[in-house]
Amino acid sequence: VAKFIAVLNSNDPGSAPQDRYGIVTNLSSRLVDLINTKYVLVKADQSVENAEQGRYINVFQDKSVVIAENKDALPRAFMVYEWKISANDTQNLTQLVDPAFPLSKKVILNEDIPVTQAAEEGMTTPVVEYLSYKEQGSTISVSTVQEGLLFVSEIFYPGWKAFIDGQETPVYRANFAFRGVVVPA
């Protein structure tokens, strides 16, 4: 996570990891969208409204603080039907900061998964909805007409478990630091 925050702040995949407490300072990074940052809180004299044209919109302001909404924030969890397999973290981070990489449609996995990629075109839009969200577990309802990968923008750790209809299923490391779960049609 410290490395991810360093890259988010610098857009440089060669950046050294942040200290123990990572502070996000580069609100123009596209990685802010990937981590589901919908609102940012800044001092009134440091408004982010013009950080990128139209990306941030001030939704509240008083004498000391501005709350700005990120119009490009991705959902906390979403389905994808395309992925790339690569165990090289530096190459993966390079792709994630590349504006040409489609963050909302494709993920990078560190290992192969037992699913065939499919074109999303012409397919019914998948529905992903949180039914519950707790510190140690969440329940997500997914409706998809074809098998794919559920990307969850929460930190990957080898001890996490996922269950589909009561059956345990693997949790994969996706987009360097996050979770991916294969979901059947």
Side-chain angles (χ1 to χ4, degrees):
V1 175
K3 176 71 172 176
F4 184 86
I5 293 172
V7 173
L8 183 154
N9 283 330
S10 67
N11 281 328
D12 176 10
S15 298
Q18 294 282 134
D19 293 332
R20 182 176 177 174
Y21 300 101
I23 297 173
V24 173
T25 58
N26 181 8
L27 295 176
S28 65
S29 172
R30 64 195 317 257
L31 298 182
V32 171
D33 304 336
L34 183 65
I35 60 174
N36 184 240
T37 305
K38 184 152 179 132
Y39 296 99
V40 294
L41 181 72
V42 295
K43 292 180 181 177
D45 61 346
Q46 299 173 342
S47 172
V48 294
E49 185 175 3
N50 297 321
E52 264 185 56
Q53 295 177 350
R55 179 174 177 190
Y56 290 98
I57 296 177
N58 290 354
V59 293
F60 174 82
Q61 183 169 354
D62 67 12
K63 292 179 183 178
S64 61
V65 70
V66 172
I67 298 175
E69 181 179 357
N70 177 4
K71 295 293 191 181
D72 295 338
L74 294 170
R76 180 179 293 165
F78 55 90
M79 289 294 295
V80 296
Y81 302 93
E82 293 182 53
W83 47 85
K84 177 185 177 213
I85 309 300
S86 171
N88 184 314
D89 286 344
T90 301
Q91 288 178 359
N92 297 350
L93 288 166
T94 300
Q95 287 189 28
L96 291 173
V97 297
D98 182 351
F101 186 82
L103 291 176
S104 66
K105 298 197 178 292
K106 188 174 186 177
V107 298
I108 302 169
L109 299 169
N110 285 54
E111 62 183 287
D112 204 4
I113 60 175
V115 178
T116 304
Q117 296 188 53
E120 191 176 348
E121 290 121 30
M123 184 177 78
T124 307
T125 303
V127 177
V128 177
E129 178 184 8
Y130 272 83
L131 301 179
S132 72
Y133 182 80
K134 297 178 183 169
E135 189 174 297
Q136 295 296 318
S138 301
T139 303
I140 304 172
S141 172
V142 178
S143 177
T144 178
V145 296
Q146 74 188 68
E147 187 173 44
L149 188 80
L150 175 68
F151 173 80
V152 182
S153 64
E154 294 185 14
I155 301 303
F156 172 84
Y157 185 78
W160 281 108
K161 294 182 180 184
F163 297 86
I164 297 177
D165 297 329
Q167 298 293 315
E168 189 169 351
T169 189
V171 177
Y172 297 96
R173 186 172 160 216
N175 286 352
F176 183 75
F178 305 99
R179 302 179 208 163
V181 176
V182 173
V183 176

